[in-house]
Amino acid sequence: MRGAAHSPILKTGHLLGTQLLSVEEIVGLLDLAEDYVTLNRTAEKKTSVLKGCTLINLFFEASTRTQSSFELAGKRLGADVMNMSVKSSSVSKGETLLDTATTLNAMRPDILVVRHQDSGAAELLSRKLDCSVVNAGDGAHEHPTQALLDALTIRRHRGSFEGLVVAICGDIAHSRVARSNIHLLSKMGARVRLIAPRTLLPADAERFGVEIFTDMRKGLEGVDIVMMLRLQLERMTGAFVPSTREYFRFFGLDREKLALAKPGALVMHPGPMNRGVEIDSVVADDIDVSLIHEQVEMGVAIRMAVLDALARGLPRGGRNTP
Ligand code: NCD
């Protein structure tokens, strides 16, 4: 494995968001993840760098990719992994986030991976608990491992980020994936564009310091990477778009709109996809342009890198050892 045996890659001992990461930390995680891409393509797929570590996955919101890849990542690194199912826990009896988390903390985990509907939930836990905390998505705020896996996927295809034009399209207002990607890609030297109807842009979108387009056809001109986002209907408290059919006409990615981007432009989507709403199946399933399955593969490698990086910062024998 690359890297000095116990050099800390993540300075704070947590991964709460990409806004707080330095370029060195990002590059360190991407480089380490490359080793895990290689390992995951072997028959064995396992190492023991997290032997003796306990990882708890605490998901208050639905998840397919993120939760399963953190579980696989932990297991492939030799950790003991526990998945807390919030539906069958005392959360359904009204226990607060903090009470649930401090209860789990008393079981002496080394790393807690948390997804929660409120922005700031992971940061709150990182201040109250004595284990490392990884943000697996907090409200519309951040989803750092998604942006890291997206960056790894892009770097493998384009080599570097400098000068690359990346368009993030769709429901930006409700998207933690968009925020984490904006911070990370801008730091790495990419030029980020947001493309969305006004109603799906955050009120303060200008503060991100990126280009904004409300016309997708104009916005796609000269773009290297088109990153599509799901319409997050479950976070909407009213009608943000007239109809999904109308939305697809103006903001759905089909062949005709993709043809306006740079020749050879690549398409990404964090999943889950709403086919025929934000993306046409013909584009999503075209293996010459779509990186969607590769993103999932990179997700396991990135999560292994993050867990490894955090474990390097743990005191010998675990953070909680008296
Ligand atoms: C995203 C999420 O949950 O923030 N999904 C994911 O982690 N791959 C995006 C989404 O739900 O649309």
Side-chain angles (χ1 to χ4, degrees):
M1 291 280 131
R2 199 179 314 194
H6 288 285
S7 56
I9 294 177
L10 285 166
K11 303 282 183 297
T12 61
H14 305 285
L15 178 64
L16 303 176
T18 56
Q19 189 170 19
L20 303 168
L21 290 180
S22 65
V23 170
E24 292 70 36
E25 287 173 306
I26 294 166
V27 172
L29 288 171
L30 298 183
D31 288 348
L32 187 56
E34 285 291 354
D35 292 332
Y36 286 120
V37 175
T38 308
L39 180 73
N40 287 337
R41 289 179 178 180
T42 66
E44 181 70 18
K45 298 187 188 64
K46 288 199 77 153
T47 108
S48 54
V49 298
L50 254 69
K51 192 162 179 282
C53 281
T54 301
L55 166 71
I56 298 185
N57 273 328
L58 179 61
F59 278 63
F60 291 85
E61 282 189 342
S63 172
T64 307
R65 282 148 277 264
T66 309
Q67 184 168 347
S68 54
S69 57
F70 267 114
E71 182 179 351
L72 267 185
K75 287 180 172 165
R76 287 183 184 173
L77 296 173
D80 293 312
V81 183
M82 187 183 98
N83 288 311
M84 263 303 283
S85 167
V86 167
K87 273 207 181 75
S88 58
S89 75
S90 292
V91 172
S92 57
K93 300 180 188 168
E95 191 171 64
T96 65
L97 164 68
L98 218 45
D99 281 342
T100 304
T102 45
T103 300
L104 295 175
N105 194 50
M107 298 178 191
R108 304 161 78 87
D110 300 285
I111 303 175
L112 181 77
V113 176
V114 63
R115 168 172 286 192
H116 194 272
Q117 58 279 7
D118 294 340
S119 298
E123 197 269 335
L124 172 72
L125 295 185
S126 74
R127 284 189 281 112
K128 301 286 183 189
L129 309 185
D130 56 7
C131 60
S132 289
V133 174
V134 180
N135 182 5
D138 61 330
H141 178 228
E142 281 239 31
H143 189 356
T145 56
Q146 179 69 47
L148 285 161
L149 77 87
D150 290 338
L152 181 62
T153 311
I154 294 172
R155 197 178 74 166
R156 288 172 67 88
H157 282 268
R158 291 290 188 256
S160 85
F161 302 93
E162 208 51 57
L164 213 61
V165 185
V166 182
I168 305 177
C169 314
D171 189 355
I172 318 270
H174 301 97
S175 178
R176 51 198 176 204
V177 174
R179 280 174 185 73
S180 288
N181 264 304
I182 293 168
H183 297 309
L184 188 153
L185 291 167
S186 306
K187 262 179 220 197
M188 299 305 291
R191 281 176 49 204
V192 179
R193 289 182 185 178
L194 305 182
I195 304 178
R198 265 280 150 217
T199 49
L200 292 179
L201 281 167
D204 56 352
E206 276 71 21
R207 95 186 147 84
F208 290 121
V210 297
E211 291 174 275
I212 295 174
F213 292 84
T214 52
D215 179 335
M216 191 172 188
R217 289 183 165 81
K218 285 207 182 93
L220 285 176
E221 275 168 33
V223 163
D224 295 282
I225 306 278
V226 188
M227 201 179 271
M228 299 307 300
L229 297 174
R230 183 174 68 88
L231 260 194
Q232 305 217 350
L233 297 167
E234 79 280 12
R235 294 191 202 280
M236 297 184 187
T237 49
F240 282 75
V241 292
S243 72
T244 50
R245 182 198 270 232
E246 176 104 338
Y247 182 77
F248 182 73
R249 206 172 127 221
F250 290 103
F251 291 95
L253 187 67
D254 53 16
R255 280 217 190 283
E256 181 248 315
K257 292 194 201 76
L258 182 60
L260 301 169
K262 223 181 233 175
L266 296 168
V267 175
M268 302 175 76
H269 193 305
M273 283 184 277
N274 289 315
R275 291 170 181 267
V277 178
E278 72 264 358
I279 191 163
D280 190 346
S281 283
V282 172
V283 173
D285 299 333
D286 180 347
I287 53 165
D288 291 328
V289 299
S290 169
L291 302 179
I292 296 170
H293 289 299
E294 195 175 326
Q295 286 174 271
V296 178
E297 182 187 359
M298 295 309 124
V300 180
I302 272 294
R303 284 159 186 138
M304 289 170 87
V306 168
L307 297 178
D308 179 354
L310 290 173
R312 288 175 194 215
L314 292 172
R316 275 173 82 80
R319 185 179 285 266
N320 297 327
T321 304

